[in-house]
């Protein structure tokens, strides 16, 4: 059975303002597809994907949360037990970047794991109307000690790297996850870093 080789299951949240491309990032990563007419998420969407990173196979349970204020009461329970969070902003809309502080605060309030792996993602870098520079995003991530990368769900640039770096960070973080009841002992040392990301 395929599951016999899976080290663990990780719960990863995708959070951020409405319209920044959270659902598009999840669709691109899980199905390698892009829908320019992607509907806004109502409540929460959910997908799973089995990935192999550095000879380690894990199952990801990816939760895409709605950014609209009226759905905010639905989300606290979905933060529970998450090992990773991808916080997304739109590089063409400054207000989505400015709202990252409030999303980080929500993680602090509702997250149940203090050592959760976090990544700041600047999405829509395919657009010519950039309002937030890469350096601004990098400095924000460094200030908050999170991973950072820029992506385009439309072209797929950076998307795979974003998810894989979060998984690497989860694996490396002692006490953040538990090994499944099956599988051999695996060497989890010597992790690489993708060129587009930084572990700040």
């Amino acid at each position: 059975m395929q599951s016999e080789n899976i080290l663990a299951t990780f719960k990863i949240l995708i959070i951020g303002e409405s319209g920044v491309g959270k659902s598009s990032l999840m669709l691109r990563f899980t199905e390698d597809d892009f829908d320019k007419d992607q509907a806004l998420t109502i409540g929460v969407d959910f997908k799973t994907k089995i990935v192999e990173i550095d000879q380690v196979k894990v199952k990801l349970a990816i939760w895409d949360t709605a950014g609209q204020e009226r759905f905010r009461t639905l989300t606290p329970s979905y933060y529970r037990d998450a090992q990773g969070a991808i916080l997304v902003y739109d590089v063409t809309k400054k207000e989505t970047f400015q709202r990252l502080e409030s999303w980080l605060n929500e993680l602090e309030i509702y997250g149940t794991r203090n050592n959760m792996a976090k990544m700041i993602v600047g999405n829509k870098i395919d657009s010519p109307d950039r309002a937030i520079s890469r350096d601004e995003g990098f400095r924000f991530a460094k200030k908050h000690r999170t991973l950072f990368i820029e992506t385009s769900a439309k072209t797929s640039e950076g998307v795979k790297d974003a998810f894989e770096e979060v998984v690497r960070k989860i694996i490396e973080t002692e006490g953040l996850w538990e090994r499944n009841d099956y599988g051999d002992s695996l060497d989890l040392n010597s992790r690489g870093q993708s060129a587009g990301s930084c572990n700040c």
Side-chain angles (χ1 to χ4, degrees):
M1 292 176 60
Q2 189 180 33
S3 62
E4 291 177 354
N5 298 318
I6 296 173
L7 176 72
T9 300
F10 298 152
K11 180 178 180 179
I12 297 176
L13 308 173
I14 308 178
I15 60 179
E17 293 297 291
S18 178
V20 297
K22 300 185 298 295
S23 299
S24 293
L25 285 170
M26 183 171 73
L27 181 65
R28 173 61 77 182
F29 179 65
T30 58
E31 300 180 26
D32 195 21
D33 196 8
F34 178 77
D35 179 4
K36 65 181 179 63
D37 299 316
Q38 179 89 37
L40 291 177
T41 301
I42 297 179
V44 172
D45 195 9
F46 171 81
K47 289 185 184 296
T48 61
K49 184 177 176 72
I50 294 172
V51 297
E52 185 170 327
I53 298 173
D54 304 331
Q55 291 79 55
V56 176
K57 187 179 290 185
V58 296
K59 181 177 181 180
L60 306 182
I62 305 169
W63 296 84
D64 169 25
T65 59
Q68 300 100 307
E69 189 70 38
R70 69 180 183 276
F71 295 123
R72 203 59 63 83
T73 56
L74 299 175
T75 59
S77 62
Y78 294 102
Y79 282 70
R80 192 173 301 121
D81 297 326
Q83 287 104 340
I86 293 175
L87 296 95
V88 187
Y89 67 95
D90 179 344
V91 299
T92 72
K93 295 181 179 177
K94 190 174 285 286
E95 63 272 19
T96 67
F97 180 71
Q98 294 167 338
R99 287 281 295 164
L100 287 175
E101 291 276 4
S102 66
W103 288 104
L104 283 167
N105 288 338
E106 282 209 4
L107 280 179
E108 291 295 320
I109 294 168
Y110 300 117
T112 54
R113 299 176 188 270
N114 294 329
N115 53 353
M116 183 190 301
K118 304 181 188 76
M119 173 174 273
I120 303 296
V121 172
N123 191 38
K124 303 189 183 182
I125 57 172
D126 56 278
S127 172
D129 304 318
R130 180 187 279 266
I132 304 295
S133 70
R134 187 184 189 281
D135 186 58
E136 284 179 276
F138 179 88
R139 283 188 278 111
F140 181 88
K142 186 173 183 179
K143 174 185 174 184
H144 293 280
R145 302 180 63 81
T146 73
L147 297 158
F148 172 74
I149 198 168
E150 290 192 332
T151 62
S152 168
K154 184 176 181 178
T155 68
S156 81
E157 182 178 350
V159 176
K160 186 169 180 281
D161 289 336
F163 283 90
E164 289 187 354
E165 287 302 316
V166 171
V167 172
R168 283 191 176 98
K169 185 68 173 177
I170 293 170
I171 291 173
E172 292 169 354
T173 304
E174 187 175 353
L176 185 54
W177 57 278
E178 295 180 2
R179 185 185 301 271
N180 286 339
D181 292 333
Y182 35 69
D184 298 327
S185 176
L186 295 168
D187 180 11
L188 302 180
N189 295 321
S190 83
R191 299 278 168 237
Q193 285 285 335
S194 66
S197 65
C198 75
N199 186 358
C200 305

